[in-house]
Amino acid sequence: MSHDTIDTLLTEDRVFPPSESFAAQANVNDPEIYARAAADRQAYWANWASQLRWMEPWHTVSDWQLPYAKWFIGGRLNACDNCVDRHVDEGRGDKVAFIAEGEPGDVRTFTYAEVKTHVSRLGNALKAMGVAKGDRVCLYMPMGPELCFAMLACARIGAAHSVVFGGFSAESLHERITDAGAKLVVTADGSWRNGKVVPLKEITDAALAKGAPSVTGVLVYERVGEPSGNVPDYNRGAWHEGRDQWWHDVVDAQSDDCPCEPMDAEDLLYILYTSGSTGKPKGIMHTTGGYLTGVYATAQWVFDLKDSDIYWCTADCGWVTGHSYVVYGPMANGVTQVLYEGSPAVPDKDRFWRIIERHRVTILYTAPTAIRMFMQWGEEYPNRCDLSSLRLLGSVGEPINPEAWMWYRRVIGGERCPIVDTWWQTETGAIMITPLPGISGTKPGSATRPFPGVAATLMNEEGQELNLDSGDPEGTGGILALTEPWPSMLRGIWGDPERYQQTYWSRFPGKYFPGDGCKVDGDGSYWLLGRVDDIMLVSGHNISTMEVESALVAHEAVAEAAVIGKQHAIKGQAIAAFVILRASHRVDPTSPEGEARIAELKAWVAAKIGAIARPDDIYISADLPKTRSGKIMRRLLRDVAEGRALGDTTTLADPNVVASLKTQYEEKEG
Ligand code: ATP
Ligand code: MG
């Protein structure tokens, strides 16, 4: 019965072309750029690379020995030099690099010249603590300027950083420190989150107590200070003489002179573990020249960066988005950006909008999970604030449901700002499928087209390439594949070449397999449909979880939905949905109103996309299991719905959520 392509059910035909005034001022507004880039990808990428500052030129643009690519062979450069020193040398030293707001409300600003001083001192401190070129340094820090300094200082001296998100447990931190063989850990006493202190140093101590022979030192930034007054009681960890050093003791005393190490284009810049939505995280490796080229180019064109912009990417540097679109991409372009340490709900649910108002943010880049949370909270919070400075909005991390997209456009963007829905992965390093805001007609829920110079296609289950120009206005559903190497592509999985080959290159020989389902419509726009592993097979039809979720989210009562296929004797799989209701539409699921609401939602989905997509079960829930980066973990919901023991939960933000769903489910099913 198996179909070999994805049936695309939901139709969405709203199109928003760029306004004339936006297009006129855009960094790129010539649609011919796609064809020009495709005609000679090597020349196109080489042109981008040549806009960086090189210490030695490359002799060969690229070399492709499947599954390994090299770019800008023979060239030497330093990523920190391009992100910091270059701006100072070219007269932009007084430009503000960071406006850093802490959760308690403290605001600090740093010019590019000041960043250079901080990073140079830190680079010298790392060297003084024994870090040499080629070593790995683990960064387990609050989201803030010091984390950016630490990343840049590693790049400056030629050490690779491995940033671990400050919400991970001691176990997860330990696993990542030992896997990377980190020589040093840079951490802080704590970080502010939700009015409380996350005790980063105590967690680091616990991680190292499990045994980490590679680690010879711990550098501790004092972010929070001793408990007293406004600082709640928290555990500051024990001081390990000979291992631990305070940042203010070691760094502040260093010289400002720390030359940038000339790095080979293919030298390792960093390792970053994926967020673990689908399984055990992978240590993704990125190198220097190609990666910097990819993030520099995409940041400039996708976000339409201008000298006058105040840019804010809300991602933590614990995720790839923070690497590529807080540190390397924007800084290589010399932007002024906002950094925010804490929760969007402190002191109130309008915190993000207050930040935009206060700092006159012009570009906002955030995640669908945040947008759906804001929808759930209600419009009154953004409506209180002046958001008129915004001129461009971005989305990343998951497919964005059309309804969330429309809300983002109307409530946050004032119907005026183009939205760039950017598809990419830790592995791709840079944005791969995205609108170009001066060119693309955007469609709610579509990431539109591969970035110029990126080549994509769709495959079927049998490994055949699908014809994307079939003329079928409904479009074609299949499995996304990337067909040409690109500069910022991963160079492997740290310590596991077999898994690298297996995960990305074995499904479709010669093509990169990202693991996502996708539809290409009659206009050639790409609609990302979620993980291939999540696609449901209902009565012989492949249905994407994303489409059913989007139908649910389009109902006025629903803020968020997660859909899974659970085993069914007759249909193969039956659709089960977990939904969170908006604050204004809360009901008790066991009450008659609750039951009526569930029946209404089932009928709603059937009416919106067809009887085949009607969910068998809908569970009203207060929360959904998510990774620490906010992505829904459907594999755990499948475990719940099929009554299995839960799989790996170490990357969950809050294990209680799935445990309570399990109890709720078991009570209901008896
Ligand atoms: P793991 O690989 O460990 O399971 P992960 O895939 O969640 O974790 P990331 O690299 O952070 O780790 O996420 C990349 C994935 O996020 C993509 O493969 C895709 O499924 C999803 N994604 C990101 N941006 C978008 C987008 N704009 N539209 C649709 N999906 C997106
Ligand atoms: Mg992934």
Side-chain angles (χ1 to χ4, degrees):
M1 273 213 314
S2 156
H3 262 227
D4 56 8
T5 58
I6 299 172
D7 296 279
T8 50
L9 303 173
L10 203 58
T11 51
E12 169 59 65
D13 39 30
R14 291 170 283 201
V15 185
F16 298 88
S19 70
E20 257 170 55
S21 58
F22 192 98
Q25 61 81 61
N27 287 347
V28 52
N29 48 21
D30 176 7
E32 286 305 308
I33 188 61
Y34 290 100
R36 277 209 301 277
D40 190 347
R41 284 197 174 78
Q42 300 255 327
Y44 165 82
W45 285 118
N47 179 44
W48 276 115
S50 69
Q51 296 173 40
L52 300 173
R53 179 153 91 172
W54 293 79
M55 295 160 167
E56 238 171 83
W58 64 85
H59 53 73
T60 307
V61 176
S62 78
D63 176 45
W64 181 219
Q65 307 283 339
L66 206 83
Y68 292 100
K70 288 186 181 151
W71 284 85
F72 311 119
I73 300 162
R76 291 189 164 263
L77 77 171
N78 183 288
C80 180
D81 179 55
N82 275 279
C83 290
V84 183
D85 298 46
R86 182 182 183 183
H87 304 305
V88 178
D89 297 346
E90 293 176 1
R92 296 185 293 275
D94 292 335
K95 181 165 178 180
V96 171
F98 297 129
I99 304 168
E101 190 164 316
E103 189 179 81
D106 52 309
V107 177
R108 297 179 291 159
T109 59
F110 299 87
T111 63
Y112 274 93
E114 288 165 339
V115 170
K116 183 179 171 190
T117 304
H118 286 282
V119 170
S120 299
R121 287 183 189 155
L122 182 54
N124 282 329
L126 295 177
K127 286 195 214 166
M129 289 181 78
V131 177
K133 184 172 175 175
D135 287 342
R136 275 83 54 212
V137 177
C138 175
L139 309 178
Y140 184 63
M141 300 180 71
M143 179 55 194
E146 287 75 20
L147 174 50
C148 302
F149 297 162
M151 292 165 71
L152 291 162
C154 288
R156 192 172 189 91
I157 66 169
H161 51 74
S162 166
V163 183
V164 178
F165 174 60
F168 273 116
S169 65
E171 286 79 352
S172 302
L173 176 60
H174 175 254
E175 206 182 318
R176 288 162 177 72
I177 290 172
T178 49
D179 188 78
K183 186 152 198 183
L184 196 81
V185 181
V186 185
T187 187
D189 52 353
S191 92
W192 286 100
R193 185 83 200 171
N194 271 320
K196 299 191 204 80
V197 176
V198 182
L200 296 176
K201 173 59 166 59
E202 186 202 9
I203 299 168
T204 302
D205 288 348
L208 296 180
K210 294 173 191 294
S214 60
V215 175
T216 57
V218 177
L219 181 63
V220 190
Y221 176 70
E222 187 167 39
R223 163 65 186 136
V224 177
E226 308 261 3
S228 82
N230 293 329
V231 179
D233 208 16
Y234 75 100
N235 193 331
R236 305 194 89 208
W239 200 255
H240 295 249
E241 277 309 330
R243 186 196 76 182
D244 299 351
Q245 307 246 34
W246 281 113
W247 178 299
H248 49 254
D249 287 342
V250 203
V251 179
D252 298 358
Q254 297 291 332
S255 140
D256 295 358
D257 184 22
C258 176
C260 290
E261 192 65 34
M263 302 298 285
D264 190 277
E266 284 298 328
D267 277 338
L268 187 63
L269 178 62
Y270 67 79
I271 301 171
L272 179 64
Y273 292 84
T274 54
S275 57
S277 309
T278 55
K280 185 174 146 32
K282 308 169 272 277
I284 301 302
M285 293 157 64
H286 281 294
T287 56
T288 307
Y291 173 79
L292 202 64
T293 301
V295 297
Y296 171 78
T298 47
Q300 192 176 108
W301 276 7
V302 175
F303 301 117
D304 193 46
L305 294 174
K306 300 285 194 301
D307 192 40
S308 53
D309 275 313
I310 310 287
Y311 166 90
W312 183 25
C313 167
T314 67
D316 191 284
C317 285
W319 312 119
V320 73
T321 306
H323 285 62
S324 300
Y325 299 108
V326 173
V327 176
Y328 294 109
M331 293 190 78
N333 281 285
V335 308
T336 296
Q337 68 180 311
V338 169
L339 302 176
Y340 174 56
E341 174 184 40
S343 150
V346 172
D348 200 355
K349 290 176 175 149
D350 60 6
R351 183 62 181 266
F352 272 28
W353 322 123
R354 292 282 172 220
I355 290 175
I356 290 169
E357 180 178 67
R358 180 172 317 131
H359 305 301
R360 306 300 295 156
V361 171
T362 58
I363 300 169
L364 175 69
Y365 190 33
T366 193
T369 185
I371 297 165
R372 292 188 304 254
M373 182 177 67
F374 298 136
M375 288 171 73
Q376 186 190 331
W377 286 346
E379 289 176 30
E380 70 253 41
Y381 299 102
N383 286 349
R384 287 179 189 162
C385 302
D386 176 6
L387 305 181
S388 62
S389 56
L390 288 171
R391 67 179 194 93
L392 181 83
L393 303 175
S395 171
V396 62
E398 286 182 295
I400 179 165
N401 318 95
E403 224 40 47
W405 195 101
M406 290 301 294
W407 188 93
Y408 195 29
R409 178 180 152 84
R410 177 175 59 83
V411 180
I412 308 305
E415 319 257 6
R416 137 193 109 252
C417 304
I419 297 182
V420 290
D421 171 11
T422 60
W423 177 88
W424 58 296
Q425 313 178 294
T426 309
E427 293 89 336
T428 68
I431 293 169
M432 293 282 111
I433 303 181
T434 177
L436 290 175
I439 298 175
S440 312
T442 54
K443 304 176 185 181
S446 170
T448 72
R449 290 181 71 164
F451 187 79
V454 171
T457 193
L458 297 188
M459 311 291 287
N460 67 11
E461 293 280 352
E462 282 75 46
Q464 289 146 338
E465 194 165 343
L466 297 173
N467 175 15
L468 303 184
D469 301 316
S470 64
D472 182 350
E474 295 290 296
T476 309
I479 302 168
L480 184 66
L482 301 176
T483 56
E484 299 282 341
W486 63 99
S488 64
M489 66 196 285
L490 76 166
R491 299 302 197 262
I493 297 179
W494 181 258
D496 203 345
E498 259 160 55
R499 194 177 177 199
Y500 172 63
Q501 165 74 42
Q502 179 58 34
T503 309
Y504 308 108
W505 302 100
S506 64
R507 179 79 188 254
F508 305 127
K511 297 186 174 69
Y512 174 82
F513 168 63
D516 287 348
C518 185
K519 167 180 102 167
V520 176
D521 70 15
D523 298 335
S525 293
Y526 286 64
W527 301 74
L528 279 305
L529 298 173
R531 316 296 178 141
V532 171
D533 302 347
D534 291 337
I535 304 284
M536 304 175 290
L537 187 61
V538 182
S539 304
H541 294 271
N542 279 310
I543 299 177
S544 97
T545 51
M546 156 70 179
E547 291 184 294
V548 182
E549 287 162 5
S550 292
L552 284 163
V553 172
H555 190 282
E556 58 169 8
V558 178
E560 183 144 42
V563 162
I564 52 143
K566 69 176 218 179
Q567 277 168 38
H568 187 280
I570 298 154
K571 300 190 213 177
Q573 282 185 319
I575 298 178
F578 296 77
V579 302
I580 300 179
L581 298 179
R582 290 204 202 192
S584 48
H585 288 78
R586 294 269 152 79
V587 286
D588 171 1
T590 56
S591 69
E593 293 89 337
E595 282 167 18
R597 172 70 13 108
I598 289 170
E600 183 194 336
L601 291 176
K602 288 182 185 175
W604 169 268
V605 174
K608 272 219 108 104
I609 58 183
I612 187 159
R614 180 194 177 89
D616 277 28
D617 301 303
I618 292 186
Y619 304 96
I620 292 178
S621 164
D623 225 331
L624 292 171
K626 291 188 180 165
T627 62
R628 287 176 170 83
S629 57
K631 294 171 198 249
I632 299 171
M633 282 229 265
R634 292 178 192 76
R635 66 181 166 84
L636 294 178
L637 292 172
R638 275 197 299 272
D639 293 342
V640 169
E642 294 179 352
R644 267 195 307 274
L646 297 176
D648 182 13
T649 58
T650 53
T651 56
L652 267 184
D654 179 2
N656 295 325
V657 171
V658 70
S660 96
L661 277 174
K662 199 167 157 60
T663 322
Q664 200 185 316
Y665 178 82
E666 281 160 2
E667 276 165 10
K668 183 159 176 277
E669 302 293 302

